[in-house]
Amino acid sequence: MSRIPIRLRVAAAFAVAMAVVLAGTGWYLYSSLGTHLAHALDRELRLRADDLETVVRDPDASLASATTGRFVEKGESYAQLVSTSGTVIEFTRPLGRVPVLTHAELTRALHHVILGNRSEVAGLDEPSRFLAAPFMKGHIRLVLVVGATRENRAETLASLRDELLIAGPIALLVATGAGYLLAGLSLRPVDSMRRRAASISAERPGERLPVPQTRDEVERLGVTLNAMLGRLEEALARERDFVADAGHELRTPLALLRTELELALRHADSKEELHQAVWRSSQEVDRLAQLAEDLLLLARSHGGSLPLRVESLEAADILTRVASRFEWRAQAASRPLTTSQPDGLRLQGDPLRLEQALGNLLDNALRYGEGAVCVSARPASAMVELHVTDEGAGFPPEFLGRAFERFSRHDHARTRGGAGLGLAIVRAIAEAHGGSAHAGRSDAGADVWLSVPGAA
Ligand SMILES: Nc1ncnc2c1ncn2[C@@H]1O[C@H](COP(=O)(O)OP(=O)(O)OP(=O)(O)O)[C@@H](O)[C@H]1O
Ligand SMILES: [Mg+2]
């Protein structure tokens, strides 16, 4: 069924529904006309019986004379006057003296009017309907029987049936055709969207599906799909930028490494000079390795799916471990480095990743900030906030919005050599923990923090 085109399925469903409606209407028309005709015939028989009664009561008139008059039409109707014993006293032309009524019917007709059907009556070869009514002629009780063939009713019904049998299928065909055309018309925009979609490619950005201005489901589908194309395009552009930036960042240390090695090869005369060159080269290799690791982490963290080894941790442990790693650098720069946290504060997290995130923040504080650096932990409802503050100028307001994006650096900082991945990694780690990362200003200067879930 699902392989049949929608257009055909709609038309077929339409045809079936239409056939049911047409058949129902036809049947209703046919049967209500049948009942209507039957009632009309009964009414006619009653009227005729009344008329004939007046005729028969007249001592000078007879039924036979009435047959030539307006009361009984030849060939289609008949009348009979019967005595209480069942003897036919008078009759109209097609009938003989054979009584129309059976004995039981006569007995009933002596008391009240009865109606009945006859499939055959002597002299008439068509089915007929009769009415028998008692009446008094002087002191004599008699029964008047009037009847009429049902041929007219049958003919009318047959012609209606024939007309319905011709008109019904024609109406069905026309309606199905109209349904097929209509379904085609309303599906046309879908088809043109499909054709455009088939030709859209990543090489030509900005292409969109044609959206019909119909204010219906098709228009909404088109608008939604176009919005999706827009989002995909943006994501693709971001990925491209990421790859381009990554390539660019890798090129610089590689170029430096090559220069360093070439210089050493050609001009390093002494062992001392060679040692210096190798040392500088190993620095660049370190940078390359770090960069590669950062890129890998960011690629893996896509969609918050960075694998973590979460455990319940003492906040103080993490802070002291990170601070001790940076102690020598702070001392070398004559920058005080302190930690602060409430006693017994615990959090849920991966210790290595949290140390990495705090390490990035400390590195930034020492590199871009000034004055004292403080690493602190604070409870905040169900979360724990890990702050790194310094006393420098902090983030320029126009840069704050994109500080956590990959490869984003404030222009002044570009010369100082970072790749701009540190804060992006902090955010990826925070989000992988189900938390978030923020940057702002404290009273003293820059304040960057990440929040992670607390633990009891
Ligand atoms: N404590 C701070 N004070 C002032 N500016 C900051 C501070 N921390 C970060 N920044 C600014 O934010 C930018 C982005 O920092 P991020 O750590 O993401 O990149 P990076 O340090 O330049 O490079 P990477 O960390 O990859 O070596 C920095 O270049 C700097 O301009
Ligand atoms: Mg950094």
Side-chain angles (χ1 to χ4, degrees):
M1 184 70 181
S2 56
R3 281 203 212 134
I4 305 169
I6 293 184
R7 193 177 176 179
L8 273 182
R9 271 188 278 167
V10 169
F14 198 65
V16 169
M18 206 56 200
V20 170
V21 169
L22 281 174
T25 318
W27 180 82
Y28 175 76
L29 269 179
Y30 186 82
S31 66
S32 67
L33 183 69
T35 337
H36 177 78
L37 288 176
H39 287 157
L41 183 60
D42 288 357
R43 250 197 327 275
E44 197 187 307
L45 286 177
R46 265 179 232 282
L47 282 177
R48 196 173 296 170
D50 287 349
D51 288 348
L52 283 178
E53 243 178 72
T54 340
V55 172
V56 173
R57 273 208 189 95
D58 183 349
D60 300 332
S62 71
L63 268 186
S65 66
T67 50
T68 51
R70 62 191 167 88
F71 301 115
V72 178
E73 293 157 41
K74 251 191 199 164
E76 290 193 349
S77 51
Y78 53 85
Q80 227 176 27
L81 199 58
V82 189
S83 72
T84 43
S85 61
T87 322
V88 175
I89 302 167
E90 279 189 62
F91 56 88
T92 57
R93 189 74 59 77
L95 291 182
R97 287 204 173 271
V98 185
V100 174
L101 298 184
T102 63
H103 187 69
E105 282 166 346
L106 179 64
T107 321
R108 277 192 289 132
L110 280 170
H111 300 289
H112 53 83
V113 176
I114 62 163
L115 282 157
N117 294 318
R118 279 282 171 279
S119 53
E120 242 178 73
V121 176
L124 268 182
D125 48 3
E126 290 161 0
S128 65
R129 189 160 174 80
F130 69 85
L131 178 146
F135 80 103
M136 300 293 288
K137 189 176 183 178
H139 298 292
I140 313 161
R141 182 183 282 273
L142 293 172
V143 171
L144 175 66
V145 182
V146 289
T149 61
R150 296 194 299 162
E151 194 54 21
N152 277 351
R153 175 175 178 265
E155 270 170 18
T156 314
L157 281 179
S159 80
L160 174 72
R161 188 194 56 213
D162 292 348
E163 274 165 30
L164 285 177
L165 283 180
I166 294 169
I170 291 176
L172 185 63
L173 257 163
V174 171
T176 310
Y180 184 73
L181 283 178
L182 228 86
L185 273 181
S186 46
L187 285 174
R188 192 178 286 170
V190 177
D191 203 46
S192 61
M193 281 201 266
R194 182 195 61 78
R195 262 182 276 128
R196 178 73 64 83
S199 71
I200 286 181
S201 71
E203 275 64 48
R204 280 172 296 161
E207 274 191 306
R208 293 290 180 272
L209 304 177
V211 178
Q213 307 288 314
T214 43
R215 294 167 182 270
D216 59 3
E217 292 85 348
V218 178
E219 181 180 351
R220 285 201 292 279
L221 175 71
V223 170
T224 313
L225 288 179
N226 277 343
M228 185 186 75
L229 279 177
R231 285 196 303 278
L232 287 177
E233 230 168 64
E234 268 172 34
L236 198 66
R238 264 203 311 274
E239 292 308 310
R240 273 187 185 151
D241 287 353
F242 180 65
V243 173
D245 282 342
H248 191 262
E249 289 301 325
L250 288 168
R251 211 165 52 175
T252 317
L254 279 174
L256 285 173
L257 187 63
R258 192 174 62 191
T259 323
E260 208 62 65
L261 292 176
E262 271 174 8
L263 280 175
L265 214 62
R266 287 199 200 132
H267 307 291
D269 297 328
S270 66
K271 201 178 168 190
E272 186 68 22
E273 277 174 353
L274 204 62
H275 187 267
Q276 278 290 319
V278 169
W279 185 79
R280 280 196 297 270
S281 300
S282 87
Q283 295 276 300
E284 291 307 326
V285 170
D286 276 353
R287 248 179 80 78
L288 269 174
Q290 184 59 49
L291 200 62
E293 222 161 274
D294 287 355
L295 286 173
L296 198 64
L297 184 140
L298 283 174
R300 274 161 61 198
S301 75
H302 201 78
S305 55
L306 183 68
L308 294 178
R309 285 206 193 101
V310 177
E311 51 191 85
S312 173
L313 305 163
E314 187 90 42
D317 283 351
I318 298 215
L319 300 198
T320 21
R321 265 211 301 274
V322 180
S324 68
R325 261 175 50 208
F326 281 82
E327 219 163 54
W328 64 269
R329 252 182 79 182
Q331 265 171 18
S334 314
R335 307 265 302 269
L337 173 58
T338 53
T339 60
S340 97
Q341 74 284 319
D343 278 343
L345 182 64
R346 296 186 73 81
L347 52 88
Q348 280 287 108
D350 180 332
L352 287 179
R353 291 298 179 208
L354 289 181
E355 272 178 46
Q356 183 181 10
L358 284 175
N360 284 357
L361 297 184
L362 269 174
D363 176 62
N364 283 353
L366 289 171
R367 223 195 293 184
Y368 312 112
E370 283 162 29
V373 179
C374 179
V375 199
S376 58
R378 304 169 200 168
S381 58
M383 307 295 272
V384 171
E385 287 180 357
L386 302 172
H387 289 255
V388 174
T389 55
D390 65 65
E391 297 171 342
F395 295 82
E398 75 280 2
F399 174 70
L400 205 54
R402 52 189 177 90
F404 287 92
E405 285 171 19
R406 298 157 171 182
F407 298 110
S408 78
R409 288 167 294 199
H410 190 239
D411 278 348
H412 303 299
R414 288 202 176 250
T415 48
R416 279 189 261 177
L421 292 177
L423 290 180
I425 287 172
V426 172
R427 182 170 69 178
I429 290 175
E431 284 174 357
H433 278 83
S436 52
H438 311 267
R441 284 195 65 82
S442 72
D443 300 336
D447 181 4
V448 191
W449 72 97
L450 66 154
S451 65
V452 290

